[in-house]
Amino acid sequence: MSSSEVDHLVSENIKEHHGEIIYDANGFIKKIYRKDSQLNRKIVDSYIGMYKEDKEDSSNKEDNVQKRRENAQTMTNAFYDIVTDFYEYGMCIIYYNLKTKRWGESFHFARAYKGDTFEQSIKRHEQYLAVKLGLNEKQRALDVGCGVGGPLREIVRLSGAHVTGLNNNGYQIERCKAYAKKLGLENKSDYVKGDFTAIPRELYGKFDSAYAVEATVHSPKLEMVYGEVFRALKPGGLFATYEWVTTPNFDENNPEHKRIIHGIEEGNSIPSLSSYKQAIDAAKHVGFELIEHEDMAILSECHVPWYLTLKGGFSLKGFRMTRIGRCLRIAAPGSTDVACFLNKTADALVEGGETGIFTPMFFMLLRKPTTA
């Protein structure tokens, strides 16, 4: 089967599940309604089922972790098939207690300064990567796990670099292409549907820089994705990444800590979270030189906690009685389940931040040796 035939098949499968692409920024309810009922229910059940054995025991037994690692790509594809619309259009319902704007095009957290709006923090967090990588209009960069392309477009506009977005979820790739066309960025970006633990060989040695924004956590093991990024870079190329990891405050013998971390893993399609040290060791193991690292969740007097955007008085019981809540109950089966588990995920993330056992922004700047 040719690549064009594969693309056509992927496109048809996306339409079968999600319906026609809706570009309306206020189109959340339309998007939920247009999903195929049977497919949506099946995909929701398949994802939730990956964590079913851990429901009563959040100890993350190694055999369950191994099962999720073996099925990481399928699991993560299912996850983003069911949550992308909530993140992009409807996340205000779940995370922001109907008070602030939707999450939008950038599915990540950010170091926040006092006086910042959420949007300012998000954009600065993305621009920081372009500055650290020294990107300019003569360079080509790789966005590893690009989502719907929010960070990619911000980095292109700031630096002028050409950026290739890599993503294994066909629905999100279609969203990337739609945004690029709408915003006139087609000549400064392109998109590859592919597994970042098995990057197409034609991309090896092609990029001056690469970056990842809270994406590589979906890899079965960090060495797998880091090794592929290493191969995709030119000698001397830089890789900047924000990682979701446990901090030294995490006590694996503390049942409460394990419950919180498992909640974060379940709600974000993570086979098993790594630690600070494991992330650094993984990068060095595949050949990277560590230039710098920092947990950007650690606060100074000028900062506010990254997880404050998730705190609020959301009540699923009350939500069911709102217009949107009632719509979800009669929309594609599984939509209410998604709203429910995303809300629980928000609680786990807040607990992880408040206890200091988890960070979504462990920053590393790495270099591929010039002799590699």
Side-chain angles (χ1 to χ4, degrees), residues 119-145:
E119 290 80 4
Q120 286 172 333
S121 298
I122 289 291
K123 287 184 179 296
R124 186 187 301 111
H125 208 59
E126 295 164 354
Q127 293 166 356
Y128 184 79
L129 295 174
V131 172
K132 283 293 184 180
L133 293 171
L135 291 177
N136 59 55
E137 65 278 359
K138 297 180 181 179
Q139 295 182 323
R140 299 184 69 90
L142 177 67
D143 184 325
V144 183

Side-chain angles (χ1 to χ4, degrees), residues 97-112:
N97 196 28
L98 302 174
K99 291 182 179 178
T100 66
K101 295 183 179 180
R102 59 192 169 91
W103 200 303
E105 305 163 24
S106 300
F107 303 168
H108 63 84
F109 296 104
R111 170 179 275 178

Side-chain angles (χ1 to χ4, degrees), residues 243-302:
E243 293 295 345
W244 283 35
V245 295
T246 58
T247 75
N249 294 325
F250 172 64
D251 179 1
E252 62 181 13
N253 296 313
N254 184 320
E256 187 67 4
H257 284 191
K258 297 186 83 167
R259 177 192 65 78
I260 294 169
I261 294 302
H262 180 75
I264 293 171
E265 291 168 342
E266 179 181 9
N268 293 281
S269 185
I270 301 170
S272 182
L273 278 169
S274 299
S275 65
Y276 278 9
K277 184 177 184 301
Q278 287 170 332
I280 292 174
D281 288 348
K284 290 181 176 179
H285 179 75
V286 303
F288 276 117
E289 300 169 345
L290 179 65
I291 299 175
E292 61 179 276
H293 67 280
E294 176 189 6
D295 182 359
M296 298 183 72
I298 295 176
L299 303 178
S300 298
E301 288 186 6
C302 58

